[in-house]
Amino acid sequence: MVPHLITALTGPINELEQRILESMPAIERWFRLEWMEHTPPFYCSVDLRNAGFKLAPVDTNLYPGGWNNLTQEMLPLAVQAAMAAIEKICPEAKNLLVIPENQTRSTFYLANVLQLKRIFQMAGLNVRIGSIAPEIKKPTEFTLPTGESVVIEPVVRTKRRLGLKDFDPCTILLNNDLAAGAPGILEDLHEQYLLPPLHAGWSVRRKSRHFQSYEEVGKRFGKMLGIDPWLINPMFNRCGQVDFNEPQGLDCLQTNVDALLTKIRKKYKEYGINEKPFAIVKADNGSYGMGIMTVRDVKDLEEIGRRTKDKPVGEVIIQEGVLTAERINEAVAEPVVYMMDRYVVGGFYRIHAERGDDENLNAPGASYVPLAFAESTHLPQPGHKPGASAPNRFYMYGVIGRLAMLAASYELEATDPEQEVYE
């Protein structure tokens, strides 16, 4: 099912699509040169928003779940990318241990773990699932609604290696975002590759640092393409620690939201956009789309302040809100692009019938429609009118997704504890 792209066939997004398609050889060369200098994250997913006048990433996940949303047609791409990634890191790899999130009761999440296992088995590895959750004390089998099952075993730490009983992996794949911090059991591993590295977890990572890197990447890409980088970049401010119980915490937030809304209004005026600007206020670390607030006016924050008295203090990022102009069966939709190594391997539309075009869609009630990245007939088709070809639109999504992945590689270089001596 190819989604109906309701964005108008004229206007900035189609000029951007046209420019990207015309510049395909230059873009691919640009990425190739970047990947000679920088190491891509092992895998990631990027949430995009297409407003019809701009297309921008709004979140980049370095421990992506949701692999079960990719169609069977996409699997060969993921397998090839997995082969390339493993070959680069550990060519003689034989055993792979996947460490999932600790909360493993969700059958939807377990279907994602099973899909990852399938991908890496097809890439030529022995794959087993090992949990660091204290409640997993023996091999436990979980049955999925499809009738398939997943066995999760307790991890075993011996001296400086991590594995399972009778299973010694050379590579450990984390599908656990370490939001609660990096547990000691994962530290100081000897001659084992931990992917992604511990500093990619939310105990270290900050969205503001990622979008700072993305801004830098977007400027350079925009210059190469001859476009205004704002068309692909969500502006942002950050506010350090915000305590809603303290007036100064709310003041900082109001000042930064006001400054960002002013900048967005200026851009909207420049492009003749008649939409009402809005900002998204969310935690600077963490995932799952929790605690996200849409703010259209600084006054909204006073109401939020009253409602959030009991919320904990935290670091906050204020991001330019990007509308989504895409619909599937009248439901608001946003594309999510999946990558492994430096390759786009697929994606899906996240849709939510109860949410508006200026609201977060990563919320209970969301459903998923696959994107048709993988079929050969869906390669980009230069010469088609912009907006008329789904494959061309998907190619553009892949380009923006890869820009976010490149920004993540800059971000991981900047936070790598082993690089600190050179800074």
Side-chain angles (χ1 to χ4, degrees):
M1 171 184 175
V2 174
H4 174 48
L5 302 170
I6 68 152
T7 42
L9 295 186
T10 55
I13 204 72
N14 292 299
E15 288 165 30
L16 178 63
E17 186 180 307
Q18 191 72 43
R19 185 69 61 89
I20 283 175
L21 288 166
E22 286 166 357
S23 310
M24 199 190 300
I27 289 170
E28 295 307 323
R29 179 177 181 273
W30 187 85
F31 275 120
R32 193 165 65 245
L33 295 176
E34 285 291 330
W35 295 130
M36 286 170 74
E37 299 288 326
H38 305 280
T39 304
F42 185 77
Y43 59 179
C44 72
S45 66
V46 178
D47 295 358
L48 302 176
R49 302 277 284 207
N50 175 3
F53 52 84
K54 80 180 284 177
L55 172 69
V58 292
D59 211 4
T60 300
N61 188 351
L62 298 185
Y63 298 91
W67 289 91
N68 50 311
N69 290 320
L70 305 192
T71 61
Q72 289 301 312
E73 291 79 21
M74 295 172 186
L75 273 184
L77 279 181
V79 171
Q80 284 177 320
M83 283 177 174
I86 291 287
E87 211 169 282
K88 219 160 54 178
I89 293 155
C90 180
E92 68 282 0
K94 181 182 169 189
N95 294 338
L96 175 77
L97 175 65
V98 177
I99 296 183
E101 292 288 352
N102 287 2
Q103 310 302 325
T104 49
R105 299 286 163 189
S106 158
T107 54
F108 187 81
Y109 176 72
L110 288 170
N112 148 74
V113 173
L114 185 62
Q115 183 81 309
L116 277 173
K117 182 179 180 180
R118 200 176 282 131
I119 289 166
F120 287 99
Q121 278 179 330
M122 287 194 272
L125 294 162
N126 300 318
V127 185
R128 280 163 69 176
I129 318 295
S131 177
I132 56 175
E135 62 268 22
I136 301 286
K137 293 182 168 58
K138 60 179 185 181
T140 309
E141 188 173 0
F142 296 89
T143 304
L144 306 183
T146 56
E148 299 168 294
S149 63
V150 184
V151 175
I152 297 181
E153 304 173 65
V155 297
V156 177
R157 177 74 191 238
T158 54
K159 291 186 181 172
R160 292 174 64 194
R161 287 180 79 82
L162 196 65
L164 305 174
K165 192 183 175 196
D166 306 322
F167 187 75
D168 184 32
C170 71
T171 309
I172 298 163
L173 179 65
L174 281 178
N175 197 242
N176 179 321
D177 66 11
L178 308 177
I185 196 170
L186 297 177
E187 293 176 346
D188 300 319
L189 296 175
H190 182 59
E191 292 180 353
Q192 280 181 312
Y193 296 94
L194 187 66
L195 307 168
L198 289 179
H199 65 278
W202 282 123
S203 51
V204 175
R205 208 176 160 225
R206 294 294 176 270
K207 292 173 186 176
S208 53
R209 191 185 282 118
H210 173 74
F211 283 102
Q212 198 175 345
S213 298
Y214 184 83
E215 194 174 340
E216 184 189 327
V217 167
K219 278 179 185 166
R220 289 180 39 242
F221 184 79
K223 190 176 178 185
M224 188 263 293
L225 221 57
I227 61 163
D228 178 355
W230 177 75
L231 294 172
I232 56 169
N233 178 43
M235 297 186 287
F236 76 95
N237 281 337
R238 67 181 295 273
C239 212
Q241 293 283 97
V242 172
D243 184 347
F244 285 102
N245 300 302
E246 298 293 330
Q248 60 268 34
L250 202 54
D251 288 349
C252 171
L253 199 54
Q254 286 176 323
T255 304
N256 278 286
V257 167
D258 193 40
L260 186 61
L261 288 172
T262 302
K263 280 162 83 176
I264 303 169
R265 276 187 210 103
K266 196 176 165 192
K267 276 293 180 187
Y268 278 20
K269 192 174 178 186
E270 183 185 330
Y271 282 91
I273 296 158
N274 294 320
E275 304 289 348
K276 186 172 170 63
F278 65 102
I280 298 292
V281 177
K282 56 187 175 182
D284 204 8
N285 65 340
S287 56
Y288 304 120
M290 297 299 184
I292 293 177
M293 300 175 275
T294 300
V295 181
R296 297 168 192 83
D297 193 291
V298 175
K299 290 194 206 76
D300 296 350
L301 289 169
E302 290 167 17
E303 178 57 30
I304 289 165
R306 280 194 290 275
R307 287 202 322 265
T308 52
K309 289 292 182 198
D310 300 324
K311 281 207 174 175
V313 178
E315 293 173 69
V316 165
I317 179 173
I318 303 137
Q319 197 173 42
E320 174 187 353
V322 182
L323 293 162
T324 178
E326 302 208 27
R327 303 284 183 280
I328 296 176
N329 298 338
E330 306 305 311
V332 177
E334 66 185 12
V336 184
V337 176
Y338 274 63
M339 288 157 288
M340 195 176 285
D341 194 54
R342 59 197 177 115
Y343 306 103
V344 173
V345 298
F348 53 82
Y349 268 102
R350 181 185 288 121
I351 60 176
H352 205 304
E354 278 106 55
R355 293 282 170 125
D357 59 3
D358 62 352
E359 291 184 291
N360 166 47
L361 306 188
N362 190 6
S367 55
Y368 308 92
V369 174
L371 282 175
F373 277 108
E375 294 168 44
S376 57
T377 52
H378 286 176
L379 288 170
Q381 298 154 345
H384 275 242
K385 269 188 195 171
S389 159
N392 286 355
R393 186 59 51 90
F394 298 159
Y395 175 72
M396 181 168 68
Y397 291 161
V399 168
I400 304 302
R402 284 183 287 164
L403 289 175
M405 178 166 62
L406 181 60
S409 80
Y410 283 31
E411 177 196 354
L412 290 178
E413 284 165 19
T415 56
D416 186 346
E418 291 179 17
Q419 300 297 321
E420 282 181 355
V421 285
Y422 303 111
E423 289 180 3

